[in-house]
């Protein structure tokens, strides 16, 4: 492809660090000229059907006129103003929406600028709450293996400690408690006799260490970067019950699952539970501007506010950015005004019919679908450089990692778009060069 050899791409290769890539043996980057709807247009002429929603964030597709207008109109008033001592209508309207839509009891909203920061905020809230309650010893987190919560230092410490992306930082990260990852899949039968293997060790960790645990944190229903695993809602119910029993706060990391991706507005709804703290990000602005939110209960907010500090000790410079809040309002408005549940069901049914049968391929260990998420788990890891190039040649944008080839397309994707994505996956599964 000619565009690999342009001056800009040579500079990009030699000087710009991309996510999770080497500077001595970099993966190729493809120059994007524009993006519209579900199509990414490369400078070299290829048109790619997007299966990734730009890492799960582009909910309504690229270059959406309603979202574009929200940005333009807000920019006429102000693009940014500090949130310390000042406020504005876009932030107020957004927080009203989040309080109204979120699970019961989440009445306080802290706005930040990325998913990792939203989780950091949640963890700080939990620790500061227990300090305020006179229990500073409750400063550890309990979580499950195979989890992923972000790339900053506090969040790395609650990612999978062995198989996660951050194990090499083990010596400098805070030590927390890890339970086995839930085993029972969302479509499997749950052992209801109270001795379920999924929760036996989890129960023991709560029992033995609750006096030191500030919060339990988990990705509801979907373990994302930890393997795209879909676990049973009863496990989530058990976690909520254990938090209540042992006075541990429950943090739901809904950054990937929030706003409809799993077929529920929030994945917690699968288990009919409400967390004490919830983190949102990714799809919040429809993929336009980075924005995140951490919601908590009145009990937590009042406890923190009545502590020695008299306030919550966090304040990002771009907190409550008006442009981001305006486009978030427009994005949530688009979702609410559409029959999004029926649309997610359509996508799910299409993926069930077309992607699940790929499990018969000799290179496939398992396939699974939930809402607008489709996953092919291969037997061996992919060859990233080769498989990415082949997907571009096949006219799709899919970004695998490890043994996982997965898609989470924009909600505006048609059945034909989904078919093209699945056919591309089926094609590379039969090509030896695409696997390690």
């Amino acid at each position: 492809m000619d565009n690999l050899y342009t001056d800009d791409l040579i500079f990009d290769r030699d000087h710009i660090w991309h996510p999770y890539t080497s500077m001595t043996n970099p993966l190729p980057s493809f120059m994007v000229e524009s993006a519209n709807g579900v199509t990414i247009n490369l400078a070299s002429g290829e048109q790619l059907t997007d299966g990734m929603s730009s890492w799960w964030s582009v909910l309504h597709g690229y270059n959406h006129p309603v979202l574009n207008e929200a940005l333009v109109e807000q920019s006429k008033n102000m693009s940014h103003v500090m949130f310390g001592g000042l406020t504005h209508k876009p932030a107020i309207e957004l927080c009203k929406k989040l309080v109204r839509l979120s699970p019961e009891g989440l009445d306080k909203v802290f706005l930040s600028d990325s998913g990792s920061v939203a989780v950091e905020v949640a963890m700080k809230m939990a620790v500061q709450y227990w300090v305020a309650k006179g229990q500073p010893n409750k400063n550890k987190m309990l979580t499950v293996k195979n989890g992923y919560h972000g790339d900053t230092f506090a969040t790395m410490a609650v990612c999978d400690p062995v198989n996660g992306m951050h194990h090499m930082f083990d010596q400098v990260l805070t030590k927390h408690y890890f339970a086995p990852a839930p085993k029972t899949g969302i479509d499997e039968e749950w052992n209801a006799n109270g001795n379920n293997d999924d929760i036996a060790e989890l129960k023991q960790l709560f029992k033995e260490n609750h006096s030191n645990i500030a919060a339990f944190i988990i990705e509801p229903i979907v373990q994302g970067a930890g393997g795209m695993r879909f676990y049973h809602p009863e496990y989530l119910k058990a976690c909520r019950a254990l938090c209540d029993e042992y006075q541990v706060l429950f943090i739901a990391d809904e950054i990937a699952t929030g706003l409809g991706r799993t077929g529920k507005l929030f994945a917690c709804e699968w288990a009919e539970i409400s967390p004490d703290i919830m983190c949102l990000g990714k799809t919040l602005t429809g993929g336009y501007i980075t924005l995140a939110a951490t919601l908590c209960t009145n009990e937590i907010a009042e406890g923190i506010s009545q502590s020695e500090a008299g306030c919550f000790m966090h304040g990002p410079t771009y907190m409550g950015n008006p442009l981001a809040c305006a486009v978030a309002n427009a994005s949530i408005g688009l979702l609410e005004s559409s029959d999004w549940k029926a649309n997610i069901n359509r996508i799910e049914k299409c993926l069930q019919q077309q992607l699940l049968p790929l499990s018969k391929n000799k290179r496939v260990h398992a396939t699974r679908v939930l809402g607008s998420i489709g996953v092919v788990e291969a037997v061996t890891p992919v060859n990233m450089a080769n498989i990415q190039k082949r997907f571009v040649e096949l006219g799709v944008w899919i970004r695998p990692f490890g043994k996982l080839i997965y898609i989470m397309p924009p909600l505006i994707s048609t059945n034909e778009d989904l078919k093209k994505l699945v056919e591309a996956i089926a094609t590379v599964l039969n090509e030896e060069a695409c696997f390690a």
Side-chain angles (χ1 to χ4, degrees):
M1 291 166 52
D2 293 340
N3 72 315
L4 287 175
Y5 306 103
T6 64
D7 290 342
D8 283 344
L9 279 171
I10 291 172
F11 181 90
D12 184 284
R13 181 197 65 197
D14 293 343
H15 298 280
I16 301 177
W17 223 322
H18 288 261
Y20 299 105
T21 56
S22 166
M23 290 303 293
T24 57
N25 186 28
L27 295 168
S29 292
F30 301 87
M31 184 76 78
V32 178
E33 190 171 75
S34 64
N36 295 278
V38 300
T39 304
I40 297 173
N41 303 302
L42 299 186
S44 50
E46 292 91 343
Q47 292 187 317
L48 310 181
T49 299
D50 179 29
M52 303 303 296
S53 298
S54 282
W55 272 336
W56 317 0
S57 63
V58 180
L59 198 62
H60 310 290
Y62 298 94
N63 205 17
H64 196 288
V66 172
L67 304 186
N68 290 351
E69 183 181 7
L71 288 177
V72 170
E73 290 303 310
Q74 179 56 42
S75 69
K76 293 176 181 178
N77 296 323
M78 58 182 172
S79 294
H80 183 61
V81 65
M82 66 184 291
F83 215 50
L86 300 172
T87 193
H88 48 79
K89 196 72 169 176
I92 293 169
E93 291 303 312
L94 174 59
C95 292
K96 282 181 179 179
K97 286 183 172 69
L98 295 180
V99 169
R100 172 171 57 84
L101 294 172
S102 62
E104 184 179 359
L106 298 173
D107 294 326
K108 299 294 189 287
V109 186
F110 190 97
L111 299 171
S112 59
D113 40 15
S114 77
S116 292
V117 174
V119 176
E120 294 254 355
V121 166
M123 295 169 70
K124 285 179 73 173
M125 281 181 176
V127 171
Q128 194 175 342
Y129 171 79
W130 288 114
V131 169
K133 289 291 185 180
Q135 299 185 60
N137 54 300
K138 287 174 75 69
N139 54 36
K140 300 293 185 182
M141 302 290 146
L142 172 58
T143 187
V144 295
K145 296 177 182 178
N146 291 338
Y148 174 79
H149 299 284
D151 293 342
T152 51
F153 264 77
T155 62
M156 284 194 296
V158 288
C159 294
D160 188 284
V162 177
N163 299 316
M165 295 177 282
H166 308 304
H167 63 275
M168 71 284 292
F169 296 98
D170 178 66
Q171 296 304 309
V172 295
L173 295 177
T174 301
K175 305 302 180 187
H176 296 295
Y177 300 105
F178 288 84
K183 301 184 184 79
T184 307
I186 192 168
D187 295 322
E188 297 176 346
E189 185 177 353
W190 180 261
N191 177 1
N193 66 9
N195 298 313
N196 192 287
D197 289 341
D198 282 38
I199 59 174
E201 191 170 335
L202 180 67
K203 283 183 174 181
Q204 196 64 24
L205 284 166
F206 267 101
K207 182 178 180 179
E208 294 176 355
N209 304 291
H210 63 90
S211 61
N212 297 318
I213 298 172
F216 172 77
I217 181 169
I218 194 168
E219 302 159 277
I221 303 301
V222 179
Q223 287 195 292
M228 299 301 293
R229 303 170 69 250
F230 310 148
Y231 63 88
H232 203 285
E234 290 294 331
Y235 180 86
L236 208 57
K237 286 185 180 179
C239 294
R240 174 72 270 185
L242 287 166
C243 286
D244 293 340
E245 180 180 354
Y246 289 104
Q247 292 188 300
V248 169
L249 300 181
F250 188 111
I251 301 174
D253 180 352
E254 292 254 16
I255 289 164
T257 55
L259 299 176
R261 280 297 190 184
T262 68
K264 306 286 187 181
L265 194 59
F266 301 101
C268 284
E269 294 175 19
W270 282 96
E272 299 179 329
I273 64 160
S274 292
D276 300 300
I277 304 174
M278 184 171 74
C279 306
L280 298 176
K282 288 192 181 293
T283 58
L284 199 52
T285 67
Y288 269 60
I289 300 179
T290 181
L291 180 70
T294 306
L295 289 80
C296 72
T297 63
N298 285 325
E299 163 69 21
I300 293 170
E302 289 174 4
I304 290 172
S305 300
Q306 293 167 6
S307 65
E308 178 185 353
C311 64
F312 177 53
M313 299 299 291
H314 203 84
T317 300
Y318 282 90
M319 181 177 179
N321 173 259
L323 281 178
C325 291
V327 75
N329 281 318
S331 180
I332 293 173
L334 280 174
L335 189 67
E336 285 198 279
S337 64
S338 69
D339 192 353
W340 65 268
K341 286 187 178 180
N343 194 29
I344 292 285
N345 288 339
R346 171 189 63 84
I347 294 172
E348 182 179 60
K349 184 177 180 180
C350 191
L351 293 179
Q352 286 172 340
Q353 292 173 344
Q354 298 179 28
L355 186 140
L356 290 182
L358 298 182
S359 62
K360 299 175 183 177
N361 189 289
K362 65 180 181 180
R363 285 200 171 90
V364 175
H365 172 69
T367 57
R368 43 192 177 267
V369 169
L370 178 65
S372 62
I373 311 167
V375 184
V376 174
E377 183 179 349
V379 175
T380 59
V382 303
N383 181 310
M384 192 61 182
N386 289 348
I387 200 170
Q388 191 76 87
K389 181 181 178 182
R390 279 297 287 139
F391 277 136
V392 169
E393 291 171 351
L394 293 166
V396 300
W397 184 251
I398 299 173
R399 184 79 169 176
F401 69 92
K403 298 178 182 180
L404 299 173
I405 306 171
Y406 73 96
I407 56 176
M408 191 182 284
L411 298 191
I412 62 168
S413 301
T414 66
N415 289 356
E416 284 301 311
D417 295 327
L418 300 173
K419 181 180 179 182
K420 184 176 181 179
L421 292 167
V422 174
E423 285 179 345
I425 296 173
T427 298
V428 301
L429 286 173
N430 294 317
E431 298 180 2
E432 185 174 350
C434 290
F435 294 86

